[in-house]
Amino acid sequence: QVHLVESGGGLVQPGGSLRLSCAPSEPTASTYNMAWFRQAPGKERECVAAIRWSDGHPWYAASAKNRFVVSRDKGKATIYLQMNRLTSEDTAVYYCAAGAGSPITSLLKYESTYDSWGQGTQVTVSS
């Protein structure tokens, strides 16, 4: 397991953009598949984007396609989530997750693929 630190959340107007970052709190030589989940009030936590570390292959939820971009900085073991054209439906606590191995793409969206979680960062989309 690894301790993850997220940053970049905040308040943004509808149609605006935010970029979230997530990295291990200490340098590590290990590599992890990483993902962004979110949980809105009264809803279950869902995966919005993930990236397989071995080849950088991304996965996106339907709600995130064409609006969000997940990327990584291999040297810093950091992932980013660039969120564009935000709407009130994107308001949630966003969590970073990490897990070892090389899962197939279809498994990247499941919480069970990951064993390390960040503390969460609030994203609020409101005018």
Side-chain angles (χ1 to χ4, degrees):
Q1 291 188 339
V2 61
H3 184 238
L4 301 171
V5 179
E6 302 129 331
S7 61
L11 174 65
V12 62
Q13 292 187 343
S17 299
L18 276 178
R19 190 176 84 152
L20 306 181
S21 302
C22 172
S25 60
E26 296 180 353
T28 174
S30 300
T31 58
Y32 301 92
N33 307 295
M34 299 180 79
W36 289 100
F37 287 74
R38 69 184 181 187
Q39 187 166 24
K43 294 186 177 181
E44 294 186 354
R45 188 158 60 182
E46 61 173 353
C47 186
V48 294
I51 191 163
R52 186 168 56 217
W53 206 260
S54 59
D55 58 5
H57 186 81
W59 178 90
Y60 295 99
S63 60
K65 283 182 180 177
N66 301 317
R67 295 191 305 129
F68 295 1
V69 178
V70 63
S71 61
R72 63 177 179 169
D73 181 326
K74 294 178 69 174
K76 298 179 180 179
T78 299
I79 67 164
Y80 305 95
L81 185 66
Q82 177 67 41
M83 303 187 292
N84 303 315
R85 302 198 305 278
L86 288 161
T87 74
S88 59
E89 295 296 310
D90 298 312
T91 295
V93 178
Y94 283 70
Y95 298 91
C96 177
S102 188
I104 58 176
T105 303
S106 60
L107 295 180
L108 291 172
K109 62 181 177 284
Y110 294 113
E111 292 190 25
S112 57
T113 298
Y114 309 94
D115 59 6
S116 298
W117 294 82
Q119 79 286 355
T121 185
Q122 177 70 46
V123 171
T124 302
V125 184
S126 175
S127 56

